[in-house]
Amino acid sequence: MLAIDEQLLEIDEAIDDVAQTFFTLDSVKSYLEIKQEFLADSALQEKIAHFQELKQSYEENKDYLAFRPEVRELRRQLIKEKRILDMNEKVSRLRQSEVEVQEILAELSQKVSSAISPTIFVDTGLPLAPHKSHHRCGGKEKRDV
């Protein structure tokens, strides 16, 4: 059973402070504004919904690509619409803003984990960030205890 003591309450308060501070960052405020603009654009949301329908249809039929020419055409249409969505200014701005916020969260996660132990690896999910190497087969993992 978890014992509630003064340290646990201090940690809880520190978490609340970090969360409140996080939402006051300019990058986070910008992300929230950009996301609202993205969601408010009904024409863009319709294009995204149509793209998702095409993708679902293609996923259901892709095993028959070699036998059915209409599946090949569906794939071409899917790629074309994906490019159009990727080139959309609001989609591009949202993705860039998401990466900025992800970088902030990654840095924060690394600081928190290193306060516990410098050997804790944090997978940030960022494309250029270091990734943990795979475990070797049959070998024991070395640990610093």
Side-chain angles (χ1 to χ4, degrees), residues 35-132:
K35 185 176 179 184
Q36 286 293 20
E37 290 173 17
F38 171 82
L39 293 173
D41 188 337
S42 58
L44 177 59
Q45 295 305 314
E46 288 177 18
K47 288 178 185 178
I48 292 170
H50 182 257
F51 172 77
Q52 290 173 337
E53 290 171 7
L54 278 176
K55 185 177 178 183
Q56 179 66 30
S57 179
Y58 175 72
E59 288 296 323
E60 292 170 357
N61 293 295
K62 72 179 179 181
D63 294 335
Y64 307 108
L65 183 64
F67 310 108
R68 295 176 52 198
E70 65 269 15
V71 177
R72 185 174 296 118
E73 183 56 37
L74 181 62
R75 183 174 183 267
R76 285 188 187 117
Q77 186 179 2
L78 184 68
I79 292 170
K80 180 181 175 186
E81 292 202 18
K82 174 79 167 108
R83 282 189 197 133
I84 291 170
L85 283 175
D86 287 343
M87 298 300 290
N88 183 290
E89 181 184 346
K90 290 180 182 176
V91 172
S92 177
R93 287 180 57 215
L94 180 65
R95 286 185 180 155
Q96 290 172 349
S97 184
E98 285 174 340
V99 170
E100 285 178 30
V101 172
Q102 188 176 5
E103 287 172 347
I104 293 168
L105 288 170
E107 184 180 333
L108 180 61
S109 298
Q110 289 173 338
K111 286 181 179 179
V112 169
S113 69
S114 66
I116 297 167
S117 171
T119 60
I120 295 175
F121 176 77
V122 176
D123 187 1
T124 62
L126 295 168
L128 301 177
H131 297 281
K132 190 172 187 177

